[in-house]
Amino acid sequence: TLPGGEQVVVKVQRPNIIRQVQSDLRIMQEFSRRLEKRFDWARDMDLGGMVDEFAAGINKELDYRNEAYHMLRLADNMANIPGVHIPILYQSLSTSRILTMEFIEGVKLTRTQAIDDHGLDRVEMAATFNRAFIKQIFIDGFFHGDPHPGNLSVNLETGVITFLDMGLVGELR
């Protein structure tokens, strides 16, 4: 809870995780290079290039400033879609290793019984989600890259859908 009474979630990076991840990625990169030297299928699919691209994405996710930027950009893009929310980012309380954001009341979209018990219209919620995602992909070209039930929350009082965890996004140019 912040001094002003706002409820927040603080995402804190584990100590030494960068060093551990870097070590794991180097092992994967070395292994993929060895496979490319020995097997045509590994060369044909550019396994080393795929692992390098994966490593670049993971390294980007380890810097929470990127996720903070994604949150701000997606919040701006979704501002005119009723029924969709992106958590408020507390930039002054966030760093490359700490992300402070609004606490979201809600349940996973897969909790259909709870949604029904609160009288929410699942068809309308699906339409809202579809409008949001179509805008993200086809209008903005910038979209949440991991919209599984754990990253989508619905407020049982309002029916508002909140996108969580903007560490992985996609961009179409």
Side-chain angles (χ1 to χ4, degrees):
T1 304
L2 298 181
E6 303 90 347
Q7 295 290 308
V8 295
V9 171
V10 181
K11 181 176 177 178
V12 180
Q13 198 171 84
R14 291 182 188 183
N16 302 316
I17 193 66
I18 293 174
R19 184 173 50 230
Q20 180 63 53
V21 167
Q22 293 300 320
S23 175
D24 293 345
L25 291 172
R26 278 192 300 278
I27 291 167
M28 291 173 63
Q29 288 169 319
E30 177 61 29
F31 187 62
S32 67
R33 302 289 185 258
R34 287 181 186 204
L35 288 173
E36 284 184 329
K37 287 179 182 177
R38 298 187 77 194
F39 301 104
D40 289 338
W41 62 265
R43 281 188 300 279
D44 291 344
M45 67 186 293
D46 187 21
L47 185 61
M50 288 173 47
V51 171
D52 289 344
E53 188 173 330
F54 173 76
I58 293 294
N59 285 322
K60 194 171 182 183
E61 282 189 57
L62 288 171
D63 184 342
Y64 289 172
R65 292 172 298 192
N66 292 311
E67 184 170 351
Y69 168 75
H70 299 157
M71 289 176 70
L72 294 172
R73 185 170 174 189
L74 198 58
D76 187 52
N77 291 351
M78 294 289 97
N80 65 350
I81 304 286
V84 172
H85 182 66
I86 308 300
I88 295 167
L89 171 69
Y90 292 88
Q91 285 182 278
S92 64
L93 301 174
S94 298
T95 68
S96 62
R97 297 185 55 177
I98 297 172
L99 198 59
T100 306
M101 68 194 91
E102 167 190 18
F103 175 78
I104 301 298
E105 287 283 346
V107 298
K108 292 179 184 181
L109 288 176
T110 53
R111 298 271 316 273
T112 56
Q113 189 61 55
I115 291 168
D116 291 345
D117 289 348
H118 280 79
L120 298 174
D121 184 344
R122 286 194 276 149
V123 172
E124 179 59 34
M125 288 172 48
T128 298
F129 174 81
N130 285 336
R131 276 193 301 280
F133 218 69
I134 286 169
K135 182 178 186 297
Q136 288 176 34
I137 294 171
F138 294 112
I139 306 298
D140 302 326
F142 180 79
F143 56 94
H144 192 293
D146 196 18
H148 62 77
N151 286 341
L152 295 165
S153 177
V154 61
N155 183 303
L156 294 175
E157 302 304 317
T158 65
V160 170
I161 298 169
T162 300
F163 285 80
L164 303 169
D165 190 1
M166 269 55 77
L168 181 61
V169 297
E171 189 163 12
L172 302 172
R173 299 175 196 248

